[in-house]
Amino acid sequence: MHAYYFDNLPTDQRLPHITDPARPVSPETLAKLGVLSWVVPVPPDAASPSNSQGISEEEDCEVNRVAKEREYKNRDVINVSREGMVAVFGIFGVGVGFFDVRETPTDAWIRIAVAPGDLLVLPAGIHHRFTLDTKNQIRALRLFKDEPKWIPHARSGATDTNVHRVGYLRDVGAGIVPAVGVSA
């Protein structure tokens, strides 16, 4: 995983969008926003699924450890391509993509490049978006506190008063790493 400030240039979103000069973002800065990450070793032949989730037993043990520790009860595997998006969000096997999260209080976009083996937690209430890279495909494992579901919410006055957003802003403002759940 590699995080940095997004350059905001109006070019193809699938490009890296690294500022010049580059402005990296540390794991500590991400943690203050409630964004947590782990690296789960992915074997070189991970493109061929080894179980129903497409991950090896070793990977599954680490994912299970994180899921138990953070109380995620459900999961699903999605294939995302340019044609459609079927996010914790773990990249296993194939693909690279970018999660962009809004830094609070600056409102700057932070881009997080994710690749096979990256396991990322986005707290409920954080403004975020996902973009594929130019290869246009990724297979990902998502973890959920409850039933697997993902409902997109366009940023608006209504989203700013959403219970998860309000709780997130309260927790970040108090210096608490949000643990409400995953915005996936």
Side-chain angles (χ1 to χ4, degrees), residues 87-173:
V88 185
F89 195 88
I91 311 300
F92 296 98
V94 295
V96 174
F98 303 105
F99 267 103
D100 298 332
V101 297
R102 285 281 191 188
E103 182 178 46
T104 301
T106 68
D107 215 30
W109 281 116
I110 295 174
R111 176 151 276 193
I112 305 167
V114 292
D118 289 338
L119 183 58
L120 186 66
V121 169
L122 300 181
I126 193 170
H127 291 305
H128 68 281
R129 62 189 181 197
F130 179 77
T131 304
L132 295 166
D133 74 351
T134 56
K135 293 181 183 168
N136 293 322
Q137 185 172 356
I138 201 166
R139 181 176 61 217
L141 170 72
R142 300 183 301 175
L143 303 176
F144 299 88
K145 295 259 180 183
D146 297 306
E147 289 299 313
K149 64 183 173 196
W150 181 79
I151 302 168
H153 298 282
R155 189 171 180 182
S156 69
T159 57
D160 287 338
T161 60
N162 174 287
V163 65
H164 297 293
R165 179 71 180 161
V166 171
Y168 171 76
L169 292 173
R170 179 195 65 236
D171 291 348
V172 169

Side-chain angles (χ1 to χ4, degrees), residues 38-56:
W38 294 262
V39 175
V40 178
V42 177
D45 63 346
S48 56
S50 48
N51 64 26
S52 62
Q53 296 168 10
I55 60 178
S56 70

